[in-house]
Every structure is written in structure tokens, then in C-alpha cells.
């Protein structure tokens, strides 16, 4: 995270990253970063006396409203879309960059993204809303 020059607004990860070390690392980058990591099913609230943490608020919401409501409220489902897109990219373009230099790698990645976007546009149906005629 220290390599990112812009301000970080949200950090999203899967449940494997649920734990104090991850939350502490993110907090070192800034207190205002929203952390979206699903707590494990066996997770318990923290025992610290400080104000309720983001993780504790997530746990409370999951316990009261359910995991699906939490995913919708936090935008966690967006992570799955990103993972699907990266999987598609790696399948079509390849699992690694072939160029050696940094600028050439940027160009290679940009070309790969352009190819992927064109392929998606070609396979995407054009939907039109129509008014149903009364029977």
C-alpha cells in the first residue's frame, strides 16, 4: 500500500485477510480508509476498550441483517467482478507480461485491456426496452 501515490479510500480483500495484522497495516496508511473484508464465520468482536472498530461494525451488521445485506451495503460484490475480469484477462492474454521494461509492460497491459474490452463489446447483446401490447 505504501507504493500507492494517490489517497486510498477503500481496501477490499477476501476473508483470508480477516485479522488484526491486516487492519493494522491498513490503519498505518490512514484512519479514514474504509476496510471491506468479510469476517470469518467464527469471528468474535474485539475485546479492546477503544471505539468500535470497522470489523466490529461489520460483525454486528452481519449478525443483525445477514451476510448478503452486508455485501450489498459495503459493495463487497464488486470484488468478485474484478476477480472475474482478471481471470478472463489471464486466460485470454496470459498469466504474465512478456515485456522486460516498465514502459513496454505498461503498453503491453494497455493493449491487453483494449483487446479484452473489444471482445466483451462484441459479445454483449444490445438490449432495447419495448412497450408490451395489451392482449
Amino acid at each position: 500500500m505504501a507504493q500507492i501515490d494517490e489517497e486510498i479510500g477503500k481496501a477490499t480483500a477476501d476473508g483470508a485477510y480477516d485479522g488484526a495484522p491486516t487492519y493494522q497495516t491498513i490503519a498505518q496508511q490512514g484512519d479514514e480508509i474504509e476496510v471491506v473484508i468479510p469476517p470469518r464465520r467464527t469471528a468474535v468482536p474485539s475485546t479492546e476498550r477503544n471505539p468500535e472498530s470497522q470489523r466490529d461494525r461489520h460483525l454486528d451488521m452481519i449478525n443483525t441483517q445477514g451476510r448478503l445485506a452486508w455485501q450489498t451495503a459495503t459493495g463487497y460484490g464488486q470484488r468478485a467482478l474484478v476477480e472475474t475480469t482478471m481471470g478472463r484477462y489471464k486466460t485470454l492474454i496470459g498469466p504474465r507480461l512478456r515485456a522486460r521494461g516498465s514502459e513496454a509492460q505498461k503498453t503491453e497491459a494497455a493493449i491487453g485491456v483494449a483487446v479484452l474490452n473489444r471482445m466483451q463489446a462484441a459479445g454483449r447483446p444490445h438490449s432495447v426496452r419495448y412497450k408490451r401490447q395489451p392482449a
Side-chain angles (χ1 to χ4, degrees):
M1 293 181 82
Q3 297 174 351
I4 300 172
D5 295 330
E6 286 124 31
E7 187 176 321
I8 301 171
K10 185 184 219 181
T12 304
D14 64 16
Y17 292 95
D18 177 42
T22 303
Y23 282 87
Q24 290 168 355
T25 301
I26 295 170
Q28 289 173 354
Q29 300 301 317
D31 291 333
E32 65 284 344
I33 298 174
E34 180 185 357
V35 180
V36 181
I37 300 174
R40 294 188 173 101
R41 297 211 183 271
T42 58
V44 294
S46 65
T47 56
E48 297 177 14
R49 294 182 177 227
N50 61 350
E52 191 177 88
S53 68
Q54 290 187 57
R55 183 176 183 271
D56 287 346
R57 290 192 301 271
H58 292 308
L59 274 171
D60 185 48
M61 183 175 189
I62 289 170
N63 289 334
T64 57
Q65 299 177 20
R67 192 167 284 270
L68 197 56
W70 174 82
Q71 288 179 358
T72 303
T74 59
Y76 183 71
Q78 187 70 28
R79 182 196 60 85
L81 297 174
V82 171
E83 282 189 13
T84 301
T85 301
M86 288 306 300
R88 190 177 301 120
Y89 180 94
K90 288 178 179 180
T91 300
L92 295 172
I93 310 304
R96 58 193 153 106
L97 298 174
R98 292 165 187 79
R100 293 185 182 183
S102 179
E103 289 303 314
Q105 287 179 344
K106 289 178 185 177
T107 302
E108 182 181 347
I111 291 169
V113 169
V115 168
L116 184 63
N117 287 341
R118 180 167 287 191
M119 290 178 75
Q120 281 186 309
R124 192 174 298 133
H126 178 70
S127 301
V128 179
R129 190 179 288 248
Y130 72 97
K131 184 176 181 180
R132 186 177 283 207
Q133 299 295 326

